Amino acid sequence: MPSPGAVVGMRTASQSDVGRARHENQDAHGEFQSRTGERLLVVADGMGGHVGGATASRICVETLGAALVDTDDAPDVRLRRGLALANERIRETAERQPELAGMGTTAVALLFGADARAWLGWVGDSRAYRWRAGELEALSSDHSVVAEWVRAGILRADEADKHPRRNELLRALGANEQLESEVTELEVRAGDRFLLCTDGLSAVVPGAEIAAVVGFEEPELAAKKLVAMANERGGPDNVTVVIALLSAETEPAVVAARRAAPRHALRALFAVVGAVALGLLGAIFYGLTRGGGGLPEVPVAPAAPSRAEVLRFLDDWSGAANAQDAARLRGLGFELSPEQLERDFPRGGKLELALLAEQALAPDLFGLRLRLVYTHPGRGGVERSEEQRAILVRAEGGRLRYAGNWE
């Protein structure tokens, strides 16, 4: 199902499908928002075997999301740093887990900032497009062998589409110690429509057909249609699309808020003064009726954990489980006996965790929906199982701790 999102001035929708020829979906995508209102959209196309591709693309999306929300650096700096950190983390994970050796991923990320500006970063052949004034424009250029030959005049574009080396990449996250990414700044306007996609779409659906859908359909329906069109042409690969529409009626949220500030400043001042006055009157009444000698104590609600804190909790969990460290697991709130630890996490096996969704349920209680992937040696080689779980975590003393299942 598409996963639409909505803020003032922007609507987004996404869709991902395994396709018709693959048995597992190694694509990943995500949408993130910073505390200042910036929006980040990410698509990644993993590669590297049964488990590796999905792991690499997940690491990429999660790392880029954390880079957005946990730093005050300039947007282009955050994009470059996020891609570089994702590259490092993918390589480090592959070194620790031999079964993931050789994994990598493409990435395309679009960061919407303030003042009608946006930044695009990419590595590999996942693409970004912008539909404006009736035309679909490619914003990214593929880092692939045949794309380089086309730019050099060795191949024509129509020849590249059918060339036997069309899937060979020159750049990918996880491939080399030093990552060479591209980041560029974009000017955006109300009415613009953006598409991020993997080559599961762009390699099989002609640009004119993509333009007709992106330009004239609502984002949710467009996402469904594009995936269906790829599958109608055989679905040879996983296909993932993310669409963003900047509303023609309202500006992006960050821009609108900044431009509206002077107009509403006086009204906001009156509101604040009135609220303070009412608060003082209420405090006086409370003291008189309760016989107290001062203002009532107001409890301070703990701040919601950042995505980086959630990901740190998941990393600590998987690290402790894979090391069969019962003491560390108990420190995270899990109560496991040595027998349970051996049963659930047999020696030589690996646990991987992916965050699917999160929700604040109370000031200090949060629900997480997760995908758990177990790999362990079997008689026929490495065996893999997967499940989804919903758990509760509670913020205690600056840390997150497991608090039971989320029904």
Side-chain angles (χ1 to χ4, degrees):
M1 293 294 291
S3 52
V7 296
V8 176
M10 181 188 294
R11 290 171 54 201
T12 63
S14 60
Q15 182 91 358
S16 186
D17 191 81
V18 69
R20 297 291 181 263
R22 302 293 179 90
H23 297 293
E24 60 276 327
N25 192 346
Q26 298 188 15
D27 290 354
H29 64 286
E31 179 177 342
F32 308 89
Q33 183 166 346
S34 74
R35 57 183 177 274
T36 59
E38 296 166 311
R39 295 279 290 275
L40 175 68
L41 309 177
V42 186
V43 166
D45 181 357
M47 62 199 79
H50 184 61
V51 180
T55 301
S57 62
R58 172 185 60 80
I59 290 173
C60 172
V61 171
E62 292 176 352
T63 305
L64 279 167
L68 169 73
V69 301
D70 286 338
T71 177
D72 295 322
D73 287 333
D76 59 326
V77 173
R78 275 177 280 168
L79 271 183
R80 290 187 188 279
R81 179 179 297 164
L83 289 166
L85 288 174
N87 184 63
E88 292 177 11
R89 191 176 175 200
I90 290 168
R91 291 178 62 82
E92 290 170 357
T93 302
E95 289 176 3
R96 292 196 307 267
Q97 303 181 38
E99 69 273 16
L100 300 179
M103 71 174 177
T105 185
T106 69
V108 59
L110 181 57
L111 173 58
F112 292 95
D115 302 325
R117 301 167 73 193
W119 290 263
L120 176 70
W122 74 97
V123 177
D125 62 357
S126 291
R127 294 183 179 179
Y129 296 89
R130 175 174 58 199
W131 187 92
R132 175 186 286 177
E135 294 187 2
L136 187 70
E137 174 190 6
L139 300 175
S140 59
S141 55
D142 292 354
H143 298 143
S144 66
V145 171
V146 295
E148 193 66 28
W149 287 347
V150 170
R151 287 189 285 269
I154 299 173
L155 283 180
R156 298 192 311 269
D158 60 324
E159 294 174 324
D161 291 340
K162 301 177 178 60
H163 197 279
R165 299 184 65 182
R166 63 185 179 276
N167 293 323
E168 292 185 29
L169 297 180
L170 296 175
R171 305 183 201 176
L173 282 82
N176 297 294
E177 185 175 352
Q178 295 298 322
L179 178 71
E180 187 178 357
S181 61
E182 286 198 56
V183 175
T184 185
E185 184 175 345
L186 306 174
E187 169 263 343
V188 298
R189 303 175 189 171
D192 283 349
R193 295 169 181 244
F194 292 88
L195 166 67
L196 306 183
C197 66
T198 58
D199 65 342
L201 175 72
S202 58
V204 296
V205 180
E209 295 183 33
I210 294 175
V213 174
V214 173
F216 299 99
E217 299 287 3
E218 292 298 305
E220 296 81 3
L221 182 57
K224 286 183 176 180
K225 280 192 172 183
L226 291 175
V227 169
M229 289 162 66
N231 284 331
E232 287 169 1
R233 286 166 170 79
D237 199 355
N238 307 148
V239 55
T240 298
V241 302
V242 174
I243 297 174
L245 165 61
L246 303 188
S247 170
E249 288 76 29
T250 52
E251 300 173 287
V254 180
V255 181
R258 290 190 174 186
R259 294 188 180 177
R263 192 167 58 243
H264 297 299
L266 191 57
R267 185 184 305 169
L269 177 61
F270 286 136
V272 170
V273 171
V276 171
L278 286 174
L280 289 174
L281 288 174
I284 293 170
F285 178 77
Y286 179 93
L288 290 174
T289 56
R290 300 294 179 89
L295 298 178
E297 294 185 1
V298 179
V300 178
S306 67
R307 177 168 286 262
E309 290 173 312
V310 173
L311 296 179
R312 192 174 301 117
F313 168 79
L314 297 182
D315 281 343
D316 290 344
W317 174 5
S318 60
N322 291 332
Q324 291 203 319
D325 192 332
R328 284 171 58 194
L329 287 169
R330 283 194 292 272
L332 295 171
F334 297 95
E335 294 297 335
L336 289 176
S337 67
E339 293 76 16
Q340 290 174 310
L341 189 64
E342 180 65 31
R343 182 196 65 204
D344 295 337
F345 307 104
R347 295 187 183 278
K350 296 291 182 182
L351 168 66
E352 296 179 63
L353 301 166
L355 178 63
L356 303 177
E358 55 188 302
Q359 180 179 339
L361 304 174
D364 63 341
L365 188 66
F366 308 91
L368 305 179
R369 296 196 182 278
L370 308 170
R371 180 173 67 242
L372 289 76
V373 178
Y374 301 91
T375 55
H376 55 87
R379 292 183 178 178
V382 176
E383 297 180 356
R384 177 179 183 272
S385 61
E386 182 176 320
E387 65 173 302
Q388 292 191 13
R389 284 182 58 188
I391 69 168
L392 299 171
V393 293
R394 190 179 301 278
E396 296 179 3
R399 297 182 58 191
L400 296 180
R401 287 172 54 85
Y402 173 75
N405 291 327
W406 182 17
E407 301 297 338

